[in-house]
Structure formats: structure tokens, C-alpha cells
Amino acid sequence: MDFAAAESYLFSLGNEVETMKLGLGNIRKLLGALGDPHKNYVKVQVAGTNGKGSVCAFLDSICLQAEIHTGRYTSPHLISITERVKIDGVDIAESEFAQLATRVRETSEKLVSDGKLERLPTFFEQVTAIALLAFAEAKVELAILETGLGGRFDAVTAAEAEIAAITRIDLDHQEYLGETLKKIAIEKAAIVRSGSKVVVCDQSRIAMKVILGRCSEVGAKARLTSQFLGQGFGLPALGLLGMHQTENAEVAMLLAYTLRDHFAINDEAVTSGLEKARHPGRLEYQGRYLFDGAHNIGGARALSVFLDESEARRITLIFGAMKDKDLTEIAAILFPKA
């Protein structure tokens, strides 16, 4: 397949959320048939409701400054599907994406024809396999992986990351993850594996109890940003806008310190990485236009605080969201600003 054909094929598999299937059996069999590419490098998996992508962007920037050969897998994309797979901060080439997509497709179809899988892996499962394979082919030292949805049954969890991070947990995707904060926290905390190291930002009492309980259950070492970084910890001027990014930067910083068990990351790399981080489409100005990805209550609150702190007096707001979102509450938070 060329790039256009690969993109068309993947999109034909359906919306990544609506086609989500519970269980990691398919993705594990697919990765096994591809030679378990995820076993060739150290991995960090980031889960949470909001802030996952920002943490990945901060950490990737730090690792680039530390000259660590790094892959980053995030979702969704803004313009091109190639944005999801970055190596040393650069999107994968369309030709390489197409070649890997072809390989993953052929492997998936053979697994089905041989009776080893009952159905084709989903869009997200196949794109995850493409990313993990791309990182192995590029011989990266580290892969930073953003969880797609939830955690327990998310395809990224099949990569079995040595280090996990959990950003702030809030209500979102309740139809898939559960209607209460406790149920959602259980799904996200499930990325914590036996013996893994875990970085956790400040959470509600309910979410923190679930996360620490999971760590205790599997014998994982939890590192809380509030304890390891201390009160009043100073951060440099961040490359990402918004007061809420302070929390995400702290998670990325503690992840960088945790990665010192594997790589040489000095304080200068951490500071410079936080300053130079970029995350397109998240509180990003293009001329007089401000773009953001707020699509749940937590994101709407963060955007609202930013707007309150900005100097803009009159705002025209264009808003769109999937129909499963808490539109009434999001509207109550954001629409009065316009």
C-alpha cells in the first residue's frame, strides 16, 4: 500500500473509540507475530483523563535535550496520521508509515486466515503496532507511549511499560470506563504492572486511594509528585501555556528523574526540555486565533481559567465535541466567556 491506501485502509476499520474491543488478546497476538518489537527498548506509558499528551510532549522534549534516541506515540492527530508516531521529535515519513502499515495489515489478515484471531485488529490496535514496530526499526532507546482510552484494555498497555505515569483523573468516556470516578480510576490504574515504577500527580482522595491500592496489590513503587518534588518546587518558564501545565510538567520532571536509572539526564536537559516543549492544538496561538482541545469538564475548566487570565476582553468561540460528551456542563463553563 502507498500512504493514501494505508490511511484509507486504517480508517475503514472504524472510529478508534467506537470499535474498541475489551481485552488485550488480539494486540498481544499481533505483536507476537511481528516479533514483539516492544521488547527492544525502555518504555514509559502515560494514562489519565487530561494532560497525557502534554506530559508526553514535555518528557519527549527533555529526552531530546538529553540526546536520548526517543520514540513518541500519541493520539489523536490533528492533520496527518503520521503525527501519532514521532522519532526524535519528527513525524514518521509517509512512505515509512505506509510500509509498516502494509506489514501490520498483512500480518493481521494472516492471523485471521490461520484461525489465530477471530477478527481483524481494530484501527487503534493496528496503529499501535505500527508505532511499536517503527520504534524497533529505528532502534530507539526509549518509547514514550500515551494511553488511548482507559488503561486496562488499551492496546498501549500490551507494550508492558517499565515505567507508568498517571495524570489527573476526571470524568470522561463514562460509557466505556464507568460512571464514577472510582470506576474510571480502576481502569486507568490497571496500567500499573508488577515491579514497575509509577509516577502519580495530585489526585482526588478517591482516585489516589485506587491508584495506591493498585500499586500495593502488584508490588509497584509509587512516586508522588507532591512528595518527591516538595511544596513550592520551582519550575522554569514552560513551553506550554496554561497554569494547569505546571502539574503536567511536574509529572514529566519526575519521570525524567525516574529514567535516570536507565539514561544520563542532567538538570540542564530537564530545564531546557520543559522550556522548549511544544504541543500543537493545545492552547496554541496562530495569529489572533487560539486553538485548544478541551472536550471534557476538566479540560473546559482549565481553558476557562486560562481565558480569565488572558487579556482578551471579547471572545468569539467556535466549539465542537462528540455527542457523548457532557455538553451541558462544558457549555456552562465555557460559553459565558464568549
Side-chain angles (χ1 to χ4, degrees):
M1 297 185 292
D2 61 13
F3 177 71
E7 194 175 40
S8 178
Y9 162 73
L10 288 167
F11 290 151
S12 75
L13 296 172
N15 176 279
E16 58 193 292
V17 174
E18 292 178 355
T19 60
M20 183 188 75
K21 302 294 190 297
L22 299 183
L24 298 178
N26 272 20
I27 182 64
R28 283 177 172 152
K29 287 181 181 178
L30 176 56
L31 292 175
L34 292 168
D36 287 326
H38 57 291
K39 295 184 178 180
N40 290 283
Y41 38 80
V42 178
K43 299 162 294 293
V44 173
Q45 180 179 0
V46 183
T49 304
N50 290 313
K52 302 188 298 291
S54 296
V55 168
C56 290
F58 277 129
L59 183 60
D60 191 31
S61 183
I62 291 171
C63 292
L64 288 176
Q65 296 302 309
E67 298 184 347
I68 301 168
H69 191 22
T70 305
R72 172 164 47 129
Y73 176 52
T74 57
S75 61
H77 60 271
L78 292 177
I79 307 298
S80 171
I81 197 170
T82 57
E83 297 166 23
R84 296 176 181 240
V85 185
K86 288 179 167 53
I87 297 173
D88 293 334
V90 179
D91 296 356
I92 188 174
E94 290 185 354
S95 57
E96 185 178 0
F97 185 93
Q99 180 257 320
L100 294 172
T102 300
R103 185 172 164 190
V104 169
R105 176 182 182 174
E106 291 173 348
T107 302
S108 299
E109 290 175 345
K110 188 173 190 306
L111 286 169
V112 173
S113 65
D114 289 348
K116 296 179 180 178
L117 288 180
E118 292 184 2
R119 57 167 179 79
L120 282 175
T122 64
F123 169 92
F124 192 70
E125 287 170 336
Q126 293 201 37
V127 177
T128 299
I130 290 168
L132 298 175
L133 193 56
F135 299 153
E137 300 260 316
K139 294 182 169 56
V140 304
E141 302 169 273
L142 170 70
I144 301 168
L145 310 172
E146 180 187 4
T147 306
L149 175 64
R152 180 188 306 276
F153 299 121
D154 190 86
V156 171
T157 304
E160 300 181 341
E162 293 84 358
I163 300 170
I166 301 179
T167 64
R168 186 169 294 275
I169 294 174
D170 209 333
L171 294 175
D172 197 10
H173 296 295
Q174 290 97 312
E175 70 273 35
Y176 298 101
L177 305 179
E179 292 293 335
T180 66
L181 203 60
K182 180 179 179 179
K183 289 182 179 178
I184 293 174
I186 288 172
E187 293 302 312
K188 295 182 184 296
I191 72 167
V192 176
R193 300 170 54 246
S194 176
S196 62
K197 297 172 183 176
V198 188
V199 171
V200 186
C201 79
D202 285 342
Q203 301 282 352
S204 67
R205 182 184 60 81
I206 294 173
M208 187 65 81
K209 183 178 180 180
V210 169
I211 295 167
L212 295 181
R214 171 66 178 178
C215 290
S216 176
E217 176 188 343
V218 301
K221 185 177 181 181
R223 300 180 176 188
L224 311 184
T225 55
S226 58
Q227 293 179 352
F228 275 79
L229 300 179
Q231 296 295 324
F233 185 82
L235 287 170
L238 301 178
L240 304 184
L241 297 175
M243 290 295 296
H244 60 287
Q245 293 297 356
T246 298
E247 184 174 271
N248 298 325
E250 289 175 346
V251 174
M253 179 177 281
L254 188 48
L255 281 171
Y257 292 163
T258 303
L259 281 169
R260 284 176 173 172
D261 293 340
H262 302 272
F263 307 102
I265 304 176
N266 58 34
D267 290 344
E268 290 76 16
V270 174
T271 298
S272 182
L274 294 176
E275 291 174 339
K276 295 181 178 181
R278 297 293 181 269
H279 197 196
R282 283 74 171 182
L283 284 181
E284 178 193 23
Y285 276 102
Q286 291 284 344
R288 65 190 183 95
Y289 297 98
L290 175 67
F291 296 89
D292 192 54
H295 64 283
N296 54 40
I297 295 169
R301 287 176 182 148
L303 175 57
S304 175
V305 170
F306 179 80
L307 293 175
D308 286 342
E309 295 172 346
S310 71
E311 296 180 358
R313 295 184 179 180
R314 296 188 64 186
I315 297 169
T316 298
L317 175 69
I318 301 174
F319 178 85
M322 300 292 283
K323 63 183 178 181
D324 63 315
K325 301 302 177 185
D326 295 302
L327 295 177
T328 300
E329 189 161 353
I330 293 172
I333 295 169
L334 290 180
F335 290 7
K337 309 292 179 184

